[in-house]
Amino acid sequence: MIKPEAFTSRIGIIGGGASGSVLAACLLRRVGPDTEIVLIEKRKEIGRGLAFSTWDPNHLLNVRAGNMSAYADQPDHFYEWLQNHGPGHGIGCPTRFCFVPRGVYGEYLSGLLQDVPNSQQLRIIQDECVNVASAANGVSLQFASGDSLTVDHCVLATGNEQRPPLLTERGENPWAAGVLDRIENDATLLAIGTGLTMVDAVLSLYRRGHRGKIIAVSRRGLLPHTHQMVKAHKLDAADVPFGAPVSFLTRWVRQMAQTATKEGQDWRSTIDSLRPHTQELWKRMSLDQRSRFLRHARPWWNVVRHRMAPQIADLIENLIAEGRLRVVAAHIVDAKREGNKITASLFLRGEHKTETITVASILECTGLPDDPRYSANPAIVSLYAAGQIRSGPLAIGLDLDDRCAVIDADGSVSTRLFAIGPLTRGVFWESIALPDIRNQCASLAAVLADRLNTAKQELQVTN
Ligand SMILES: Cc1cc2nc3c(=O)[nH]c(=O)nc-3n(C[C@H](O)[C@H](O)[C@H](O)COP(=O)(O)OP(=O)(O)OC[C@H]3O[C@@H](n4cnc5c(N)ncnc54)[C@H](O)[C@@H]3O)c2cc1C
């Protein structure tokens, strides 16, 4: 074990979920032997975070196994891991087009840092970072335990913010501890949201033996589409109309999908072919166009882009066919609690009429919050309070430059503080799923390794 004093530079990563772990692994492959990588995680296990800490076998990845490698330059890394670890877990993954439980993926990420080269340069601190402040020689971090540490560069990988329970008087957060366990098996429920969070909650309830009716409501009543094994289609950057208005882009994607269908392909190939270009499409949109996209196209994009595993779609379809799950396009006009019942009025889209329902509980399945300004995370709170970070354009994620360096309240780009993962989606849009996160981690690792090298060379010249 190398002593911390042996290192001349140090990179701190706050958050050891998927993003923090993959970044640590990428950094260990890039930085010189005199740099220490410090990964700070408050949970017991590294790599799991909110998404991959579930042990519900129905909570499957929504990305096929063949596209979930932690490393951009080793696309089969996860698939090969599955071949070596799968049978012991009772899971099979015969082809790259299979969808394994998210808990299994968490196990893969937990083990990632054990097999990585230069692991003697990694220090894991199991603690909560409660304060981040700029210091003369770097970034100073304080922990809940009372310890502190100064690092040369700090990366915020604090990830998916969980909505606080009882966000409104009416609804409960299905991810909060104990919420689903308290629901009676025959209870009628109202779910606000019809996306992947609702699907997760419905599957968890189903597994617990819930047999009551669930009414899932969103303004458009859109359910995520289903994955299918489709032929990959390559879209050349030269053929992408970067900078075009959202209305044009929507027509362009529709036409491509229609042509693909006529030629015997699947519309999913068209959507998937956009993946390498999505961040650039977003970046080249004006703020006004981004705002239009969020208002009009986001719900459609979410359901075609973030799809359900086929097995999950079958389960959901069965529940709908049995009348146990009803997906409704409506908005909630009112909800009143009387004793242990809630009476809610829904204004049904298209039918222009109100329907009144009585339910035992309301589950808020509206997904992850956009604006980190309202974060309860003390590390993020401390940075906002000191004006060292600000929210990104349209109040989604943090404001950053192209290299993931945060921008402070005065508009200055930090040379020491960076962010990755869901915190960066206002700037990159698609930075939540692993295929995007691993590219981001590889790029940021290169940027940080370069900075440390330059700093070292400057020091040598000065000396
Ligand atoms: C329910 C769900 C399902 C998903 N399914 C998929 C999928 O199938 N495929 C896919 O590619 N993507 C999926 N995603 C997207 C997913 O968000 C990302 O893939 C990834 O988990 C993001 O990782 P992260 O490390 O940035 O954030 P998180 O997973 O949220 O991890 C952040 C970590 O930081 C720690 N932390 C935060 N603040 C502090 C602090 N102050 N001090 C110390 N530790 C701290 C937290 O404890 C946590 O472990 C899913 C997301 C959700 C929410």
Side-chain angles (χ1 to χ4, degrees), residues 15 17-19 41-42 49 52 61-62 129 159-160 175 377 422 432 434:
S19 303
E41 172 56 52
K42 62 183 176 184
F52 307 118
L61 290 177
N62 54 36
C129 179
N160 296 304
W175 282 324
N377 191 322
I432 294 193
L434 242 295

Side-chain angles (χ1 to χ4, degrees), residues 14-21 40-43 45 47-52 60-63 67-68 102 105 109 125 127-130 143 157-161 175 196-197 200 275 368 377-380 420-423 431-435 437:
I14 307 176
S19 303
S21 309
I40 301 138
E41 172 56 52
K42 62 183 176 184
R43 288 177 189 246
E45 270 185 288
R48 293 196 175 270
L50 179 63
F52 307 118
L60 300 186
L61 290 177
N62 54 36
V63 176
N67 204 15
M68 283 296 284
R102 297 207 302 265
Y105 192 72
L109 289 177
I125 296 183
D127 208 335
E128 182 173 24
C129 179
V130 290
F143 302 113
T158 52
N160 296 304
E161 199 65 37
W175 282 324
L196 289 170
T197 306
D200 250 30
R275 185 165 223 156
L368 306 162
N377 191 322
I380 300 293
I420 48 167
L423 276 178
S431 60
I432 294 193
L434 242 295
I437 288 176

Side-chain angles (χ1 to χ4, degrees), residues 91-172:
I91 46 148
C93 185
T95 69
R96 286 168 182 78
F97 184 80
C98 73
F99 297 84
V100 299
R102 297 207 302 265
V104 170
Y105 192 72
E107 207 160 314
Y108 162 70
L109 289 177
S110 302
L112 194 69
L113 291 168
Q114 282 155 22
D115 298 333
V116 83
N118 308 322
S119 57
Q120 73 281 4
Q121 285 170 244
L122 174 70
R123 179 161 38 136
I124 292 176
I125 296 183
Q126 202 199 321
D127 208 335
E128 182 173 24
C129 179
V130 290
N131 195 72
V132 184
S134 65
N137 52 348
V139 182
S140 153
L141 310 177
Q142 272 169 10
F143 302 113
S145 62
D147 289 347
S148 61
L149 179 78
T150 300
V151 295
D152 298 271
H153 297 289
C154 174
V155 182
L156 303 170
T158 52
N160 296 304
E161 199 65 37
Q162 215 169 336
R163 284 186 193 271
L166 293 175
L167 185 70
T168 68
E169 270 178 63
R170 320 177 295 204
E172 293 186 274

Side-chain angles (χ1 to χ4, degrees), residues 399-428:
D399 203 6
L400 311 157
D401 77 353
D402 275 358
R403 300 181 139 208
C404 295
V406 306
I407 299 179
D408 71 11
D410 297 329
S412 304
V413 178
S414 176
T415 53
R416 297 196 181 268
L417 196 57
F418 298 79
I420 48 167
L423 276 178
T424 69
R425 70 186 183 280
V427 174
F428 299 102

Side-chain angles (χ1 to χ4, degrees), residues 154-316:
C154 174
V155 182
L156 303 170
T158 52
N160 296 304
E161 199 65 37
Q162 215 169 336
R163 284 186 193 271
L166 293 175
L167 185 70
T168 68
E169 270 178 63
R170 320 177 295 204
E172 293 186 274
N173 172 6
W175 282 324
V179 166
L180 298 184
D181 295 328
R182 286 198 297 271
I183 291 173
E184 304 272 343
N185 277 350
D186 59 351
T188 302
L189 305 172
L190 171 60
I192 310 177
T194 59
L196 289 170
T197 306
M198 180 280 289
V199 169
D200 250 30
V202 166
L203 294 175
S204 292
L205 286 163
Y206 174 77
R207 204 174 127 69
R208 284 167 165 80
H210 179 259
R211 297 294 177 261
K213 199 168 176 176
I214 303 174
I215 301 139
V217 174
S218 67
R219 286 194 179 249
R220 292 176 178 79
L222 297 173
L223 260 181
H225 281 271
T226 312
H227 276 289
Q228 264 179 33
M229 207 189 301
V230 293
K231 234 169 113 185
H233 170 66
K234 195 172 177 313
L235 179 62
D236 207 273
D239 297 327
V240 181
F242 295 109
V246 168
S247 54
F248 180 90
L249 289 172
T250 318
R251 275 200 308 278
W252 170 70
V253 174
R254 263 204 202 118
Q255 268 166 14
M256 276 201 302
Q258 278 164 3
T259 311
T261 313
K262 271 189 208 141
E263 288 171 358
Q265 293 171 29
D266 193 282
W267 60 265
R268 292 167 186 82
S269 305
T270 306
I271 299 298
D272 295 349
S273 72
L274 291 168
R275 185 165 223 156
H277 309 294
T278 317
Q279 292 192 352
E280 198 57 31
L281 275 164
W282 177 255
K283 274 197 230 161
R284 299 235 213 139
M285 274 182 203
S286 64
L287 275 191
D288 177 54
Q289 290 300 323
R290 287 186 195 180
S291 164
R292 272 170 201 273
F293 172 85
L294 294 174
R295 278 201 312 276
H296 304 298
R298 184 184 198 174
W300 303 96
W301 176 251
N302 281 347
V303 296
V304 295
R305 170 72 181 71
H306 302 285
R307 305 190 289 261
M308 286 186 278
Q311 306 92 302
I312 298 307
D314 286 349
L315 264 170
I316 293 291

